[in-house]
Amino acid sequence: MDTENAAPSISCSNPDCRVAQDGRCVEGVLDPKSCSHYGKPLVIVEAAKFELSKMATRPGVRLPSAEALPAAAAETVLRDRPCNVIGLIGPHESGKTSLIGGIYDLLMDDPVGKYAFAGSSTLHAFERAVHDSRTASNRDDPHMERTERGPATYFHLDLSHVEGRKKLTALFANRDGEAYMETQTNPDLAIDFPELRRCDTLTVLADGVKLLDASERHQVLNDVCLTIRAFNESEQTRQWQRLAIVLTKIDAVRKADDRATTDRALRHFERIVADVRAEFSERFQDIQSFQVSASPKGGAGERGEGMEKLLAYWMKEPGRFSHTRSPPELTAPARAYGRLRRADMGGENA
Amino acid sequence: MADFVALTWVVRMLEKSIVVLGLPESGKTTYLAALWHLLQARKVDSKLKAPRLRAGEAPHLNEIARRWLAGRKQERTSQDKNRTVTMELDSVAGDQFVLAFPDVAGEAFAQIWEERECDAEVISSLDARGVLLFIHATDIKVPNWIADEAQLSKRLGIERAKGETIPWEPRFAPTQVQLVDLLRCLQEPPLNVGSRRLAIALSAWDLAEGEMQSPEEYLAMHLPLLHQYLHHGLHPEWEMKVYGISAQGAEYDGDGEADEPSAGAKKMRDLEVPSERINVVDGATKSHDLTAPLFWLLD
């Protein structure tokens, strides 16, 4: 290259400026020569020294998660071992997460009924769920975090029968309550909830606090019946499934201002159960009602009341394994010859 | 930070090994100090013996044994003091082996419960077939429920203290939950190595003895979730035993100048045979043999 004929090089102290290549000032000055950086040598700044000790990450090995299982991981558990899936249906704050956490918390002290704790792969999820019912949260009253919208996740508990030592797995499907309630207006939404088709016990919650409120108690009946009807209409329930109707927060019902209010709430719950039985007894293998208090507020009752009975129901032999009797469907052969019967067996083939 | 401090021991003999785990101040260093003294002093019967004084990190072993003899508290194992202690041992049957202790700082073990991660250097020590898990018998973080506390306050007619709400963090988890998760991790990839033997060492057993229970009964009462898991959740190929271990023997003198001398420590120092401070309870059997859990793990 002939250096003598080369154009004089243009310099700029701004390292981002390409005025030497394209003649344009990066600062947007129309006449680049009037820019304060033009013609000045490039400023070379010493690079900051990296502190390797701060930058380097320790070579860690990932360990199994302890969060709630996504559907794919739950499917793996289902294929791996005998498993009871429990679906929990109810509006926001009806006590779905309290039921899940309530069982876990009871196991902290002792086996629950005939079932002992045999492990869990979702201990972080359980601990997070029960934190606000523990004194470590510094709360005045037990509280449960709202379940975030999105696909259902599963809490996993391995249980062992204390006598037979038979190991069983419980998977509790957890989805935000509003998603289930929306099926009342659009039953087809339930098609996207695979836990409904797969669960062995569909557990529908009736909020005890709302049953005490005259303006809300009828809505509780509606929520229970219309939601189950929506699941049926969209054909998301199965005849081998069990249905548990659970009155939650029984402690609050008992603590009502007067006895008459308590009795009215309990009678209303009985009416809900009766209505459900009348409408859906043909649709489920069995329907049972329960009254529980997973996490009572204000010192109004024993923690975990009624949970032992409910757990025993959840952990019953799944209905999908029981024999079903199907009536024989005899269709007459299309051809006349096929319809002939032997005379000694009562055939009248004249 | 509710971190695990783990003193990890690896015993290599006939392809067998031991890993020692435990929460901070659960008694691992005291156990090591008492074990080293017992092996060197040879004043009480033990299933394992140290034929030679030679040991890896001998100055450290001698230092902690000296503190133990003087009746002074051990310093906590810190992250910048990672070391591997080794000692040569003989069994009564004449087998010889080397006991190695990769002494790992607690923060590495905190990752297992809190961050679902494990340092690569810790992973290598967790492939041992024998697991010695230390639990301080009286320093147990138990879950407390608002409902129970509210009911109690109501009965007593006192108002519960109120404060700012505290969001959940993994470190709030009860001791038994963290230990169940640790044992579960040891049974799943990448830490699963198949069948193992697990010895639970309830340390500071002298403080728990007043309850007149066997170590197993004590575990069932104070760590019921862990107890259920040990009997129903451990892989069937795992074997488990619970020991009550009192390696220290009494409350020792503190390090501070203002600390009052401990009456218990004085009583311990007055013993003619220091190894007799040690008590190991295995069911109904009581001895001074600190090597008994190690021997069972290797058997």
Side-chain angles (χ1 to χ4, degrees):
Chain A
M1 196 175 190
D2 187 358
T3 51
E4 283 183 9
N5 295 333
S9 67
I10 301 166
S11 61
C12 178
S13 62
N14 185 344
D16 294 329
C17 188
R18 295 286 174 269
V19 67
Q21 286 86 43
D22 56 20
R24 282 183 291 184
C25 173
V26 76
E27 303 277 350
V29 180
L30 290 174
D31 178 13
K33 289 178 184 170
S34 63
C35 176
S36 59
H37 298 291
Y38 186 83
K40 292 178 183 170
L42 185 69
V43 177
I44 298 169
V45 181
E46 199 178 344
K49 285 179 184 172
F50 288 101
E51 285 186 47
L52 281 175
S53 60
K54 285 182 184 171
M55 295 288 291
T57 53
R58 283 181 296 182
V61 177
R62 271 329 270 173
L63 295 174
S65 164
E67 294 296 344
L69 305 175
E75 196 63 44
T76 308
V77 175
L78 278 167
R79 289 198 200 114
D80 189 46
R81 61 195 99 163
C83 200
N84 287 30
V85 183
I86 296 109
L88 294 154
I89 318 297
H92 170 54
E93 288 195 340
S94 56
K96 297 185 296 297
T97 315
S98 295
L99 281 190
I100 299 170
I103 291 291
Y104 172 72
D105 264 347
L106 287 178
L107 288 165
M108 287 277 153
D109 289 336
D110 265 319
V112 179
K114 292 177 179 173
Y115 296 97
F117 174 78
S120 169
S121 59
T122 57
L123 286 173
H124 269 210
F126 275 117
E127 282 294 316
R128 188 181 285 107
V130 300
H131 173 67
D132 284 344
S133 63
R134 296 220 184 119
T135 53
S137 70
N138 228 7
R139 285 184 177 272
D140 298 339
D141 272 322
H143 170 82
M144 283 290 158
E145 280 296 310
R146 188 185 188 120
T147 306
E148 287 178 17
R149 282 200 84 106
T153 54
Y154 297 81
F155 286 72
H156 163 222
L157 260 186
D158 282 334
L159 298 166
S160 171
H161 203 283
V162 286
E163 289 158 7
R165 297 198 165 252
K166 187 185 173 191
K167 227 170 169 177
L168 290 169
T169 294
L171 282 179
F172 298 92
N174 189 37
R175 184 188 288 276
D176 71 295
E178 295 314 305
Y180 289 129
M181 293 303 107
E182 284 164 10
T183 61
Q184 293 174 24
T185 47
N186 182 4
D188 286 344
L189 290 175
I191 295 167
D192 292 332
F193 303 159
E195 69 274 17
L196 296 178
R197 299 186 291 278
R198 183 57 189 78
C199 72
D200 297 291
T201 306
L202 197 65
T203 308
V204 183
L205 276 53
D207 188 337
V209 171
K210 288 185 178 170
L211 285 180
L212 290 170
D213 187 335
S215 64
E216 293 210 69
R217 66 193 180 104
H218 296 293
Q219 187 56 44
V220 177
L221 172 71
N222 266 9
D223 281 343
V224 171
C225 291
L226 297 183
T227 310
I228 302 171
R229 200 179 296 162
F231 296 166
N232 276 322
E233 269 184 37
S234 55
E235 298 180 341
Q236 298 308 301
T237 58
R238 301 290 180 265
Q239 271 192 318
W240 45 259
Q241 289 176 327
R242 294 191 178 94
L243 178 64
I245 310 293
V246 179
L247 168 61
T248 58
K249 306 172 192 170
I250 183 68
D251 53 297
V253 175
R254 292 218 194 89
K255 205 180 72 170
D257 296 337
D258 55 86
R259 182 75 201 167
T261 312
T262 300
D263 290 345
R264 190 183 64 180
L266 292 173
R267 274 199 309 277
H268 197 75
F269 177 67
E270 283 168 18
R271 200 172 306 133
I272 292 171
V273 176
D275 283 6
V276 169
R277 284 208 168 103
E279 187 173 349
F280 304 108
S281 56
E282 294 295 313
R283 298 283 195 157
F284 294 96
Q285 190 196 63
D286 184 43
I287 299 174
Q288 293 290 332
S289 67
F290 300 87
Q291 298 180 5
V292 302
S293 170
S295 194
K297 289 187 178 179
E302 289 293 326
R303 187 167 50 83
E305 183 186 338
M307 300 291 285
E308 182 183 324
K309 220 173 124 190
L310 183 58
L311 180 66
Y313 191 66
W314 281 339
M315 300 314 291
K316 273 186 160 185
E317 174 86 9
R320 68 194 131 95
F321 297 143
S322 57
H323 294 286
T324 52
R325 187 183 292 272
S326 306
E329 287 184 23
L330 297 174
T331 51
R335 298 181 64 188
Y337 186 80
R339 290 197 292 273
L340 292 175
R341 291 284 178 276
R342 281 168 49 182
D344 61 340
M345 293 180 75
E348 293 175 8
N349 303 316
Chain B
M1 194 165 169
D3 47 350
F4 280 106
V5 171
L7 176 66
T8 313
W9 298 12
V10 180
V11 178
R12 291 197 177 84
M13 178 192 71
L14 305 171
E15 298 178 8
K16 289 181 181 179
S17 53
I18 291 175
V19 56
V20 181
L21 304 171
L23 293 161
E25 298 185 56
S26 57
K28 299 175 296 297
T29 307
T30 306
Y31 178 82
L32 177 59
L35 176 70
W36 185 240
H37 168 80
L38 179 136
L39 290 168
Q40 297 306 312
R42 302 177 188 178
K43 295 288 184 191
V44 296
D45 286 340
S46 61
K47 290 188 166 69
L48 299 173
K49 296 183 189 304
R52 279 167 284 277
L53 285 170
R54 197 180 304 126
E57 297 284 349
H60 171 64
L61 282 172
N62 289 332
E63 172 57 28
I64 58 174
R66 197 173 293 124
R67 289 185 76 87
W68 181 83
L69 274 172
R72 301 189 72 83
K73 281 181 184 167
Q74 299 293 341
E75 288 176 0
R76 268 190 68 181
T77 309
S78 65
Q79 201 168 11
D80 57 349
K81 287 184 183 170
N82 281 352
R83 55 163 69 86
T84 299
V85 172
T86 56
M87 56 180 81
E88 292 177 36
L89 295 175
D90 285 358
S91 75
V92 177
D95 296 322
Q96 294 183 332
F97 56 91
V98 175
L99 188 68
F101 304 66
D103 190 353
V104 180
E107 286 71 19
F109 277 83
Q111 287 177 292
I112 292 180
W113 166 251
E114 294 181 19
E115 296 169 39
R116 319 306 303 167
E117 247 183 36
C118 188
D119 269 359
E121 68 171 316
V122 178
I123 289 263
S124 61
S125 61
L126 290 173
D127 63 2
R129 296 277 173 174
V131 179
L132 183 54
L133 176 63
F134 275 85
I135 304 169
H136 194 288
T138 57
D139 186 13
I140 297 167
K141 192 193 288 178
V142 294
N144 292 305
W145 289 274
I146 297 169
D148 293 356
E149 204 177 270
Q151 203 173 40
L152 188 66
S153 303
K154 199 175 166 185
R155 276 184 201 152
L156 297 174
I158 52 171
E159 202 163 318
R160 286 186 62 233
K162 291 177 183 174
E164 203 169 314
T165 304
I166 299 168
W168 182 75
E169 287 177 43
R171 67 189 173 93
F172 294 140
T175 302
Q176 54 179 353
V177 173
Q178 297 189 36
L179 295 177
V180 163
D181 186 71
L182 185 63
L183 293 173
R184 173 208 160 212
C185 286
L186 291 177
Q187 294 169 84
E188 292 195 14
L191 305 182
N192 182 22
V193 294
S195 62
R196 301 200 205 219
R197 277 195 165 191
L198 169 67
I200 307 269
L202 291 171
S203 63
W205 183 246
D206 50 302
L207 302 177
E209 257 179 333
E211 297 196 19
M212 309 296 284
Q213 290 172 319
S214 70
E216 171 97 35
E217 288 165 345
Y218 187 89
L219 186 84
M221 174 167 276
H222 294 274
L223 297 150
L225 188 86
L226 176 64
H227 187 258
Q228 290 173 67
Y229 182 73
L230 292 171
H231 286 271
H232 299 279
L234 277 187
H235 193 281
E237 287 182 354
W238 278 50
E239 290 175 77
M240 188 272 299
K241 218 169 174 182
V242 186
Y243 293 89
I245 292 181
S246 177
Q248 187 166 300
E251 186 64 33
Y252 280 4
D253 293 343
D255 275 337
E257 284 181 13
D259 289 339
E260 290 285 318
S262 155
K266 186 182 178 306
K267 195 177 163 193
M268 289 293 114
R269 283 190 287 262
D270 287 345
L271 284 174
E272 290 303 321
V273 179
S275 297
E276 289 178 358
R277 298 176 192 176
I278 299 164
N279 278 309
V280 177
V281 180
D282 172 9
T285 313
K286 204 169 177 179
S287 76
H288 303 303
D289 183 9
L290 266 188
T291 69
L294 300 176
F295 184 77
W296 178 75
L297 288 170
L298 293 166
D299 190 16

